[in-house]
Structures are given as C-alpha cells and as structure tokens.
Amino acid sequence: MPVPDKRNELRRHFRHERNNLSQAQQTFASEQLLMQCCALTEYQNARVVACYLAQDGEIVLNPLINDAWLKGKTVCLPVLHPFCKGHLIFVHYRQNSKMQTNRFGILEPKLNACDIVPVAKLDVIFTPLVAFDDSAQRLGMGGGFYDRTLAPVTRHEIPLQIYGVAHDCQKVSSGLKNEKWDIPMHKIITPSHIYSHT
Ligand SMILES: Nc1ncnc2c1ncn2[C@@H]1O[C@H](COP(=O)(O)OP(=O)(O)O)[C@@H](O)[C@H]1O
Ligand SMILES: [Mg+2]
C-alpha cells in the first residue's frame, strides 16, 4: 500500500479512538496532562507558550491555558496565515480576545498585527496530533501546517521546545514512518507518560 494511504488509514483509526472517549475521560485526561506539563522545567520557565483549542476529540488544553494565564505567561494560539497558504501565525490569546471561526470551523483570535508573536519568541509550543510513537514521532491531521510553519526554526539552534500532546490511546504500537518534511517533536506528553525524541 502506498505511504499516503497508510498515513490516512492511521488518521482515520486514531481520530475515531480519541472521539470515542467519554466527557469524563476527556476531563480527567486534560487535568492529568496539566500535571505532567507543570512538572517540566521547560514549562515552568517558559514565558511564552503556544497552545490550541481542541476539536475532533483532541486532548483539551484549557486547564493548561488557564494555568499559564494564572502564572503570567503569554499564551498564543495558531491562526491560519492569511497570505501564506498552509502556514500558521501565532497570536497572543487573552481572556477577552475577540474570536472568529476559521475555514476549518476552529475558533481563532481575530488577527491583529499587534498581537502577532514571531515563532522565535515562543518558548514552548504544544501541538495537537492524531497519532504518535514512543520515539516522539508525530502524525498530524494531514495538512502539514506545523511542519511548514516550524521547518525554518528547526534548522536553527534555538531553544524553542516543540511538544506533541495527546491521549494515551493515540500511541501506535509499532513505529510511525516519518517523512522528510515531518518536524521532530522534542517530547510527546500524554496524561500518563512523557516520550522523548530518540
Ligand atoms: N515544509 C514543508 N514544505 C512544503 N510542503 C510541506 C512541508 N511540510 C509538509 N508539507 C506537505 O504537507 C502535506 C501534509 O503533510 P503531513 O506531514 O502528511 O501532514 P501532518 O503533519 O498534518 O500529518 C504533505 O503532502 C507535505 O508534502
Ligand atoms: Mg507531518
């Protein structure tokens, strides 16, 4: 079977798995995930973090976002780049940010030039994913948005930490075959484990 079909088959399977979680399991998972993140010195020391608003069964980051706000960290969310197709911009997200729905039906802060945070200013970025393996490889929804946006920075020695976050049920039993454009995650964080890039 050609590689893209295999990736799409995995996406279908793991999207189904995460959507099957109950509301109680989702809530418990996001609280456990917060505890995992709070134990990481990279998160403790981070001044600017990029999160996302969950959809399609993705692990919910709202407890983490609230924690970051309480600790005075700057929280950013991804916004579809208005000119550069397939790329993301990170925008400062506040409790009173004006929001709008993008073409994928995902809420994002209204784009305002003053609120744009360059990727190089981020300390930690939490990316959603569809599936991962125990060497911290990431399979996304298939748009390649994070791959494109983060490709320039992963070629430089900058301290940005790129973490994938997911439910435990999103782990593949055998290794994912990554493609040359897939950006490596430093860690994958789940409610019960932290997997590091090997
Ligand atoms: N840095 C990049 N430059 C150009 N195209 C890219 C880049 N990264 C990914 N893509 C394209 O995006 C598409 C989706 O990437 P893929 O890794 O399968 O998605 P995802 O990371 O969301 O799982 C691929 O067809 C790939 O060619
Ligand atoms: Mg990819």
Side-chain angles (χ1 to χ4, degrees):
M1 190 180 282
V3 169
D5 287 351
K6 174 86 175 126
R7 279 162 83 93
N8 283 336
E9 196 182 293
L10 286 171
R11 287 186 180 107
R12 254 194 312 277
H13 174 78
F14 286 101
R15 287 176 68 189
H16 183 74
E17 289 290 298
R18 70 184 186 188
N19 274 299
N20 259 352
L21 296 169
S22 67
Q23 190 54 56
Q25 286 171 313
Q26 265 287 3
T27 303
F28 184 67
S30 53
E31 282 161 7
Q32 294 296 113
L33 187 83
L34 169 63
M35 287 203 269
Q36 295 274 55
C37 294
C38 285
L40 291 175
T41 52
E42 292 87 348
Y43 174 68
Q44 291 163 9
N45 297 335
R47 285 182 302 161
V48 188
V49 296
C51 296
Y52 62 84
L53 297 182
Q55 48 120 23
D56 191 50
E58 289 167 346
I59 193 159
V60 172
L61 289 194
N62 294 67
L64 180 65
I65 292 173
N66 283 322
D67 180 80
W69 276 335
L70 277 172
K71 291 174 177 162
K73 300 180 193 295
T74 297
V75 176
C76 301
L77 289 179
V79 170
L80 296 178
H81 199 297
F83 314 122
C84 213
K85 198 167 174 282
H87 288 248
L88 301 169
I89 295 179
F90 292 93
V91 175
H92 192 168
Y93 177 46
R94 301 176 180 84
Q95 256 145 323
N96 62 355
S97 290
K98 288 204 169 61
M99 305 296 283
Q100 64 186 14
T101 307
N102 70 20
R103 66 187 161 88
F104 296 111
I106 302 171
L107 269 185
E108 53 180 41
K110 273 198 168 158
L111 194 51
N112 172 343
C114 309
D115 287 333
I116 295 174
V117 178
V119 173
K121 289 262 156 72
L122 302 174
D123 296 310
V124 177
I125 168 162
F126 296 98
T127 74
L129 56 84
V130 175
F132 67 92
D133 70 14
D134 57 9
S135 64
Q137 298 290 348
R138 169 187 186 272
L139 182 71
M141 290 282 271
F145 285 89
Y146 284 96
D147 289 330
R148 279 191 207 84
T149 306
L150 300 177
V153 293
T154 51
R155 285 198 288 269
H156 295 104
E157 286 296 311
I158 67 158
L160 168 65
Q161 291 294 295
I162 305 172
Y163 298 154
V165 287
H167 295 286
D168 288 288
C169 66
Q170 290 172 248
K171 180 172 169 292
V172 298
S173 45
S174 55
L176 279 175
K177 187 189 165 299
N178 67 319
E179 298 292 343
K180 58 182 184 304
W181 60 78
D182 286 323
I183 48 132
M185 301 286 107
H186 293 98
K187 296 181 196 300
I188 302 279
I189 309 167
T190 75
S192 71
H193 282 84
I194 296 186
Y195 302 85
S196 291
H197 185 61
T198 50

